[in-house]
Amino acid sequence: MDTSQLLKGVLDLAVLAVLRDEDGYGYDVLRRLRAGGMGEVGDASVYGTLRRLYKAGLLTSYVVPSDEGPHRKYYGMNDAGRERLVESEKAWRAFQETLDAILRKGAVA
Amino acid sequence: MNGTDTRSELEDYLRRVRVALADLPADELAEVMEDVEPNVLEAFEETGSIEELTKRLGTPEAYAEELRTAGGYPPAPSAPTRTVGDRFSARYVVWVTGFSIVVGFFTGTVGGGRYASDRYVVLMLCAPILALALWLLFSGRVRRVDIESLREYQAARRTGRSAVAQLPPNVVEYLRSMQPAWWLVRVVLLGVAFIAALSVSSEAFLLIGLLIAGLVWAGFRVRQDRRVLPVVLVANAFAVGMAVALLSAVISDADSSRSPYVTADYRGSGLWFDGEPLDNIYAVDAQGRQISKFYLYDGTGRPLVSRGDSCEPSGSDLTNEYPKPEVDYTQGGCTTSTNMPVLPLPPTAPVSVSPSTSVSPSTSVPSSAPETAPGSTPPAPTTTG
């Protein structure tokens, strides 16, 4: 089944999560998500999400010059981002339990 | 597929993404492209071809649409409305930039000269019209898409592309790899111009100050923000013009640095009297008759050689035989003569001789020239008839 619809809702959370411990530029974020098993996430979705989180004040950004090719724009977490990540994680776990319960009940019934 | 094709295909992909997002505010678009460019480049490196890249990222338009949705940007306007005003303004920007580039180049070529102050005037006049062009760009009245849709822009771009394609790819790659060095060269060149302008005029001084400031400011931004490109292009054209002028000055300097040897060869064997070079030397005996041929030496026995005129293109040899032949064209054709052009009075009476009288080659040791003792009388005639 196509999981892209499911991915969309949780992409914010996933992006914040992979930036929690280490800053990264767009492609780093993409690689970390892929390495974590989110193979179907589109490149452009990740970049759009990064911009949106940045504009919402949850991420910081800084440019690192590169000898070859364009400069790399790194994104990192700020305090607001960390707070949001904690909240979202709680919300996600609660939602996951609820959904699990519903699915189990449906299976039993 | 060669490197230039691939590069232009990649640029084309990026350009289409940019066009599809053209309705975003310019600053935001610049930020987005700053993320997108490395993404597309790296994805291309991994996939290896533009077809595979498109398979993975989607068409540029689909990519832009996905980014738009994920980024929470407003949906694309259904049909971009172009008005005549937009096109006119875009055209203004392109032509003014092109004109300023040409003026910048020529001002650069004459900028180092001593009397250059009035030559800066034209570039000074360009500054306000270029400033208006920049204002059109920065206020969003002219956007990148407007310019890219102009026929003359596309033609100029194609011409530039095909000119680059004429060069061997490894040369292009090498020049590209020197990019940081070019940046430094430009700043140094403009610095040289700045110092030169200090002594020329206050306008030139101000203008070059502006160019340096513009280049440093825009140079850092231009990768992300193409709106500053006109400033960079004009400053570059000026720097290239200066480089051409400097290079030709160096070459002509090298020429003139060779010439002292040439003149030393020529003049050093010449004869000087009282600080003035002598054309020739004639001698007469006590009766005022010309001595038709004589030889000069200094006190150490060194022959006082010089070159005379000759009808031969190679010139005459260096000899100490005098008088030197004088070339005469009045007889129809070239003839030489050693006859004295003026007939002096017979030097029978004592003549006062200036103390500084000397006949010496300029290369000789000063005291080695034969000197006539001050106030000495001419030698008494020993022979008569």
Side-chain angles (χ1 to χ4, degrees):
Chain A
M1 154 201 166
D2 184 14
T3 52
S4 60
Q5 288 302 314
L6 289 177
L7 278 175
K8 246 174 218 166
V10 296
L11 197 51
D12 287 20
L13 179 57
V15 167
L16 285 173
V18 298
L19 284 172
R20 176 167 50 196
D21 297 326
E22 200 188 335
D23 296 353
Y25 69 103
Y27 215 62
D28 284 337
V29 174
L30 198 60
R31 264 197 286 258
R32 287 176 203 169
L33 291 174
R34 297 250 158 85
M38 284 183 138
E40 285 179 50
V41 63
D43 292 37
S45 300
V46 172
Y47 288 93
T49 305
L50 278 170
R51 286 310 301 165
R52 191 162 38 74
L53 293 175
Y54 171 76
K55 280 190 294 175
L58 303 174
L59 295 178
T60 56
S61 109
Y62 53 95
V63 169
V64 175
S66 157
D67 291 339
E68 74 247 26
H71 300 324
R72 284 176 175 169
K73 197 158 64 189
Y74 277 71
Y75 289 95
M77 288 277 255
N78 58 19
D79 290 342
R82 275 173 222 289
E83 245 169 67
R84 172 66 65 88
L85 177 59
V86 172
E87 285 166 22
S88 300
E89 192 178 345
K90 267 186 209 154
W92 166 254
R93 295 210 187 285
F95 177 71
Q96 189 198 8
E97 276 169 30
T98 311
L99 194 64
D100 274 354
I102 289 171
L103 289 173
R104 267 195 299 272
K105 264 183 206 160
V108 169
Chain B
M1 185 191 294
N2 70 36
T4 320
D5 278 350
T6 309
R7 190 171 282 279
S8 70
E9 275 181 327
L10 268 178
E11 277 175 19
D12 198 52
Y13 189 98
L14 288 169
R15 189 184 58 78
R16 280 168 63 187
V17 172
R18 203 179 297 114
V19 168
L21 294 172
D23 59 296
L24 299 186
D27 289 327
E28 183 60 27
L29 179 58
E31 294 267 353
V32 168
M33 291 314 290
E34 213 172 26
D35 287 334
V36 166
E37 277 170 28
N39 173 224
V40 171
L41 289 181
E42 292 196 39
F44 177 77
E45 271 165 32
E46 283 176 18
T47 54
S49 79
I50 205 83
E51 290 77 23
E52 288 298 309
L53 178 81
T54 310
K55 237 181 245 174
R56 175 169 147 191
L57 299 182
T59 65
E61 289 72 25
Y63 182 95
E65 191 50 43
E66 186 186 335
L67 197 141
R68 195 187 279 279
T69 312
Y73 298 113
S78 51
T81 48
R82 300 264 64 87
T83 68
V84 179
D86 284 338
R87 178 142 297 182
F88 179 79
S89 303
R91 201 150 265 165
Y92 175 85
V93 170
V94 168
W95 283 99
V96 158
T97 304
F99 179 70
S100 302
I101 289 170
V102 173
V103 171
F105 174 78
F106 282 110
T107 309
T109 58
V110 297
R114 194 166 302 157
Y115 305 107
S117 66
D118 45 345
R119 284 153 189 169
Y120 280 96
V121 170
V122 188
L123 191 54
M124 283 297 274
L125 292 177
C126 283
I129 58 172
L130 192 61
L132 179 59
L134 286 175
W135 176 77
L136 284 171
L137 288 171
F138 276 86
S139 64
R141 278 172 177 74
V142 174
R143 285 170 306 173
R144 193 173 172 146
V145 222
D146 299 329
I147 288 176
E148 282 177 346
S149 65
L150 287 181
R151 270 197 308 278
E152 53 263 49
Y153 174 86
Q154 287 162 358
R157 196 182 164 86
R158 263 199 306 278
T159 313
R161 279 266 166 73
S162 59
V164 170
Q166 299 291 311
L167 296 169
N170 51 353
V171 171
V172 177
E173 271 313 302
Y174 179 71
L175 291 178
R176 242 185 245 282
S177 72
M178 296 281 286
Q179 230 165 17
W182 296 141
W183 199 86
L184 191 66
V185 167
R186 277 178 299 192
V187 172
V188 168
L189 273 175
L190 286 173
V192 169
F194 190 67
I195 292 163
L198 280 175
S199 59
V200 174
S201 74
S202 52
E203 299 107 299
F205 175 78
L206 184 77
L207 185 74
I208 296 173
L210 277 175
L211 279 173
I212 295 179
L215 189 62
V216 170
W217 169 73
F220 282 117
R221 295 191 52 155
V222 71
R223 270 170 180 275
Q224 283 79 45
D225 187 350
R226 304 306 274 187
R227 288 177 299 174
V228 301
L229 197 60
V231 177
V232 176
L233 288 176
V234 173
N236 279 352
F238 183 81
V240 169
M242 277 212 54
V244 169
L246 280 179
L247 215 60
S248 64
V250 166
I251 289 166
S252 67
D253 261 6
D255 273 351
S256 63
S257 70
R258 228 179 292 123
S259 61
Y261 301 106
V262 176
T263 49
D265 181 38
Y266 196 80
R267 273 213 332 233
S269 57
L271 298 161
W272 291 70
F273 178 80
D274 236 2
E276 297 286 325
L278 296 180
D279 279 348
N280 215 334
I281 292 180
Y282 299 93
V284 295
D285 62 15
Q287 279 72 45
R289 285 177 309 206
Q290 186 184 356
I291 301 169
S292 62
K293 194 190 263 190
F294 58 95
Y295 299 85
L296 292 181
Y297 294 91
D298 70 0
T300 62
R302 203 162 50 128
L304 302 179
V305 296
S306 72
R307 230 182 266 281
D309 289 338
S310 167
C311 287
E312 302 299 318
S314 54
S316 66
D317 289 334
L318 275 173
T319 66
N320 66 334
E321 183 191 313
Y322 295 88
K324 294 294 174 189
E326 297 280 340
V327 169
D328 179 15
Y329 292 101
T330 56
Q331 314 293 319
C334 182
T335 57
T336 56
S337 141
T338 54
N339 290 333
M340 205 168 175
V342 289
L343 269 182
L345 291 172
T348 45
V351 226
S352 80
V353 178
S354 126
S356 67
T357 298
S358 69
V359 176
S360 68
S362 63
T363 48
S364 67
V365 185
S367 64
S368 69
E371 290 238 4
T372 312
S376 71
T377 53
T382 50
T383 52
T384 51

